Amino acid sequence: MGDDPSRRREELDALRTGIELGMTLIDTAEMYGDGRSESLVGEAIAGRREEVFLVSKVLPSNASRKGTVRACEASLERMRTDRVDLYLLHWSGSYPLEETVRGFEDLLAAGKIRAWGVSNLDPEEMKKLVALPGGMACATDQVLYNLSSRGIEFDLLPWSRKSGISIMAYSPVEQGRILGNKILKQVAQRRGATPAQVALAWVLRQDGIIAIPKAASAAHVRENRAALELRLGVEDLAELDREFPPPSGPAPLEMI
Ligand SMILES: NC(=O)c1ccc[n+]([C@@H]2O[C@H](COP(=O)([O-])OP(=O)(O)OC[C@H]3O[C@@H](n4cnc5c(N)ncnc54)[C@H](OP(=O)(O)O)[C@@H]3O)[C@@H](O)[C@H]2O)c1
C-alpha cells in the first residue's frame, strides 16, 4: 500500500475504516514501498495516533545497533509520530542479533519504541534470541501462517506459547490465493460467510495469535472485521484439516 498514487484515497479510506471498526493494529515496515507505506500510514493516522497500535520493521541490512536507531527515527518521521508501539527485525541478516537487541534497548530507553520483536525467525533462532541478555523481552515473532502454510504448528507455535511470545500471522489469506479453494468455499457457504472470513476465523481460532490481513478497500476491511464474530465448529475444522493438513514433522520456516 502507498505505491500507486491513483489508489491513495481508497487506501487511506481502507485504513481509516479499519480504525473506526476497532482494527487498530497497523503493520508496516521501512521496506514496504521504500517508505511509501509508512508515509501512507502517517497520513491515515494523523490526529488519531492515540487510537492505534503501530508496528514497523527494520531491514536486516540496517540492523546494527546504531543503524536500528537511525532506521526507526526515519520511520517515525515518515509516520509523523514520536513512537512505534512495536518495532520488529524484519528477518535475521548478517548483524548479530545481540547488536539489534542493543539498538532496540536504546530506542526503548529513548521512548521511541514501546516494545520490540522479530519476524521470520525459526525456532532455533528464537531460542538463541531469548538466551541473549535482554532477549526475553521479545514480544512477538511475525511469521507466515495460514491454512496452506501450517508448518509453525509443529514447533514454533507450541514453543512460543510456552515462552509467552505472541505470534503475528502474516499473509493470513495467503495473499488471496486460497480464497478460490473448493472446500474453503463450501465451509464458507455453510456458515453464511465468505472464504476470507473463514480463513481469518481459522487463524484466530487460537489464543496468542494475531492476524494482520492486508486490505486496500473499505469493503474488504468490513468483511474482515466481521470474521471476528465467526466461530468455526468442529465439523468445519475437521473439513479444513482434511483439505489443508497440519504438519506431521518439522520443516524449514516458510517465508513470503
Ligand atoms: N514480516 C513479513 O516478512 C511479512 C511478509 C508479508 C506480509 N507481511 C504483513 O502481512 C500483511 C498481510 O500480508 P499479505 O498482504 O502478504 O497477504 P494477505 O493479507 O493474506 O492477502 C492480501 C490480499 O488479500 C486480499 N484480501 C484481503 N481481504 C480480502 C477479502 N475479504 N476478500 C478478498 N480478498 C481479500 C487483498 O486485496 P485488496 O488489497 O484488494 O484488499 C490482497 O490482495 C502485509 O500487509 C504486511 O503488513 C509481513
Side-chain angles (χ1 to χ4, degrees), residues 83-113:
R83 71 213 181 266
V84 172
D85 295 292
L86 176 61
Y87 197 45
L88 310 180
L89 172 63
H90 210 144
W91 65 90
S92 55
S94 54
Y95 288 109
L97 283 172
E98 47 264 57
E99 267 223 43
T100 312
V101 173
R102 292 286 86 80
F104 287 150
E105 286 172 343
D106 293 343
L107 287 165
L108 280 170
K112 291 177 179 171
I113 64 171

Side-chain angles (χ1 to χ4, degrees), residues 86 101 104-105 108 114-118 129-130 132-140 164-165:
L86 176 61
V101 173
F104 287 150
E105 286 172 343
L108 280 170
R114 291 265 163 90
W116 64 265
V118 293
L129 173 66
V130 299
L132 295 174
M136 275 306 289
C138 176
T140 197
I165 295 176

Side-chain angles (χ1 to χ4, degrees), residues 27 32 57 90 119-120 142 170-176 179 196 212-217 220 223-224 256:
D27 182 83
Y32 302 159
K57 313 182 194 82
H90 210 144
S119 179
N120 296 302
Q142 184 180 118
Y170 74 69
S171 309
V173 301
E174 182 66 18
Q175 303 191 317
L179 301 180
I212 48 166
K214 174 236 173 192
S217 70
H220 279 168
E223 188 179 320
N224 296 346
I256 283 188

Side-chain angles (χ1 to χ4, degrees), residues 182-220:
K182 203 172 123 215
I183 302 299
L184 184 58
K185 279 175 151 174
Q186 259 173 35
V187 174
Q189 201 170 21
R190 189 168 65 229
R191 300 305 308 264
T194 66
Q197 288 170 334
V198 173
L200 289 173
W202 180 87
V203 167
L204 294 169
R205 73 198 182 287
Q206 336 169 52
D207 285 341
I209 300 193
I210 297 145
I212 48 166
K214 174 236 173 192
S217 70
H220 279 168

Side-chain angles (χ1 to χ4, degrees), residues 67-79:
T68 299
V69 173
R70 272 196 303 269
C72 183
E73 286 168 346
S75 291
L76 290 173
E77 203 163 307
R78 283 189 290 271
M79 293 190 284

